[in-house]
Amino acid sequence: QVQLVESGGGSVQAGGSLRLSCAASGDTYNSNYMAWFRQAPGQGREGVACIYTGGGGSTYYVDSVKGRFTISRDNAKNTLYLQMSNLKPEDTAMYYCATDSRGGWYGSRCRLRTYEYNYWGQGTQVTVSS
């Protein structure tokens, strides 16, 4: 089992920055892929960014956040991060981290598909005001 706990959310003005953290514990040694998703009220869960945790650390971002968000991982702390810059009101959502802990490998290109991830955190709220 894997436990994921998000933190770092809050309320900021447009143009501001936040860094989200996702602390992982439990059987994390087979977590080859990790990701951030978000969900605004009344909308479906949207993939934001993902990272392949193997050699190279390949990342992928949804178009709407490219150039503004950066996903990274600190292996020593077993923590996933999402650095969010130049935030926009449309970024307002509950942000969730997720991991695929099954140990499989399908390449260094991670996927932003909800069904690929078998453990999820409880989420952290990000609110961006105009």
Side-chain angles (χ1 to χ4, degrees):
Q1 61 181 342
V2 175
Q3 295 79 231
L4 303 174
V5 180
E6 301 97 333
S7 62
S11 298
V12 298
Q13 294 184 345
S17 299
L18 285 172
R19 188 180 74 164
L20 306 183
S21 299
C22 175
S25 60
D27 299 329
T28 64
Y29 43 84
N30 287 323
S31 294
N32 291 332
Y33 306 92
M34 300 190 75
W36 288 96
F37 290 78
R38 65 186 181 186
Q39 187 167 20
Q43 300 182 9
R45 190 162 296 188
E46 174 191 33
V48 177
C50 61
I51 184 169
Y52 170 59
T53 61
S58 180
T59 59
Y60 175 80
Y61 301 88
V62 67
D63 286 345
S64 60
V65 308
K66 287 181 179 178
R68 300 189 298 119
F69 291 8
T70 301
I71 188 172
S72 62
R73 191 170 79 111
D74 186 332
N75 289 340
K77 296 182 178 180
N78 207 10
T79 300
L80 181 74
Y81 300 98
L82 184 67
Q83 178 65 50
M84 310 164 68
S85 300
N86 191 24
L87 284 162
K88 303 176 180 180
E90 50 263 44
D91 294 320
T92 296
M94 183 73 74
Y95 283 71
Y96 301 89
C97 68
T99 185
D100 178 356
S101 67
R102 295 168 292 182
W105 185 87
Y106 50 83
S108 60
R109 190 172 186 174
C110 61
R111 300 169 176 173
L112 286 174
R113 300 169 181 169
T114 58
Y115 56 81
E116 294 289 347
Y117 298 89
N118 61 327
Y119 285 99
W120 295 79
Q122 292 296 310
T124 185
Q125 179 67 40
V126 172
T127 302
V128 184
S129 60
S130 300

